[in-house]
């Protein structure tokens, strides 16, 4: 079976800020150049998929860098929310109550970012939808229900090294980060 592929434009923009060109202005220009607003409809629920960071770390995109993106989305007439899924391992991000508190401790607060934090796979990772697909390794993917219910998704990813896959980024943020615990277990152990 052939899998249809499409290409999307990839934008690089030097976001180095200066007093004459602050970050907020530069990111707004980038978003306008990308024409993302033309893809959105007023009232759309837009998932802003990111990673809220582990306790005691700084390996996440700062909420102050995400705020101008949320502001741009809100001015476009949509309703953005920041989202991630619970982890497979036990810890501060293993269930939604502690996960939301962890996000808040790292500054992901609606009063700062302008968007609420919604853990997309629910309290205990049971808000999932089984999505059939013609994949090489799996017949179904188990994805977070609230991500699939969103009208649109934007991914904001930090670059990282990973002990198993080398370098990780947006593909890992989407592939692993949109999966429920069952989907994460499948990816780790199902081959």
């Amino acid at each position: 079976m052939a899998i249809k592929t499409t290409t999307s434009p990839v934008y690089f923009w030097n976001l180095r800020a200066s007093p004459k060109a602050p970050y907020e202005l530069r990111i707004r220009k980038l978003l306008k150049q990308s024409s993302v607003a033309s893809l959105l409809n007023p009232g759309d629920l837009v998932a802003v998929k990111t990673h809220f960071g582990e306790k005691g770390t700084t390996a996440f995109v700062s909420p102050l860098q995400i705020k101008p993106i949320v502001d741009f989305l809100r001015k476009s007439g949509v309703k953005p929310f920041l989202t991630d899924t619970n982890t497979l391992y036990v810890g501060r991000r293993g269930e939604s109550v502690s996960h939301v508190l962890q996000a808040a401790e790292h500054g992901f607060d609606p009063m700062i970012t302008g968007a609420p934090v919604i853990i997309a796979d629910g309290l205990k990772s049971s808000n999932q939808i089984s999505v059939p697909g013609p994949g090489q390794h799996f017949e179904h993917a188990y994805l977070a229900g609230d991500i699939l219910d969103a009208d649109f998704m934007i991914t904001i990813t930090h670059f990282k090294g990973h002990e198993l896959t080398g370098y990780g980024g947006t593909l890992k943020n989407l592939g692993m980060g949109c999966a429920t615990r069952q989907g994460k277990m499948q990816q780790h152990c199902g081959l």
Side-chain angles (χ1 to χ4, degrees):
M1 171 184 271
I3 297 175
K4 182 180 176 186
T5 61
T6 60
T7 59
S8 298
V10 175
Y11 296 90
F12 172 80
W13 194 301
N14 182 345
L15 293 176
R16 189 171 296 146
S18 70
K20 291 183 180 180
Y23 173 78
E24 294 81 7
L25 177 64
R26 296 181 71 77
I27 198 73
R28 191 167 49 246
K29 284 183 179 181
L30 173 64
L31 290 166
K32 283 181 182 177
Q33 180 70 31
S34 76
S35 301
V36 68
S38 68
L39 303 172
L40 303 171
N41 297 307
D44 278 355
L45 298 173
V46 177
V48 179
K49 173 64 180 79
T50 194
H51 170 57
F52 302 121
E54 296 289 350
K55 183 173 178 65
T57 70
T58 58
F60 55 90
V61 177
S62 166
L64 295 177
Q65 291 177 311
I66 293 175
K67 181 178 177 18
I69 298 167
V70 169
D71 290 344
F72 178 87
L73 292 169
R74 290 177 64 199
K75 286 179 184 171
S76 298
V78 301
K79 298 174 184 177
F81 63 96
L82 306 179
T83 193
D84 198 3
T85 58
N86 292 308
T87 59
L88 181 58
Y89 54 87
V90 177
R92 290 289 309 265
R93 296 185 310 119
E95 41 73 23
S96 291
V97 172
S98 299
H99 198 160
V100 169
L101 289 173
Q102 178 62 49
E105 287 177 17
H106 281 164
F108 295 95
D109 180 287
M111 299 309 293
I112 293 171
T113 63
V117 169
I118 297 174
I119 306 304
D121 60 335
L123 282 174
K124 296 180 181 179
S125 196
S126 59
N127 178 16
Q128 74 178 7
I129 297 173
S130 174
V131 178
Q136 181 177 350
H137 300 289
F138 309 118
E139 292 182 17
H140 297 282
Y142 300 98
L143 302 177
D146 287 341
I147 285 175
L148 293 177
D149 282 343
D151 299 305
F152 196 86
M153 181 169 58
I154 292 175
T155 305
I156 300 174
T157 308
H158 69 283
F159 187 78
K160 68 171 278 187
H162 191 273
E163 58 274 2
L164 295 176
T165 60
Y167 289 103
T170 299
L171 294 179
K172 182 177 182 290
N173 191 18
L174 292 172
M176 188 68 70
C178 292
T180 62
R181 274 198 207 125
Q182 184 176 357
K184 288 175 173 76
M185 179 63 80
Q186 179 187 51
Q187 290 176 55
H188 280 292
C189 303
L191 295 177

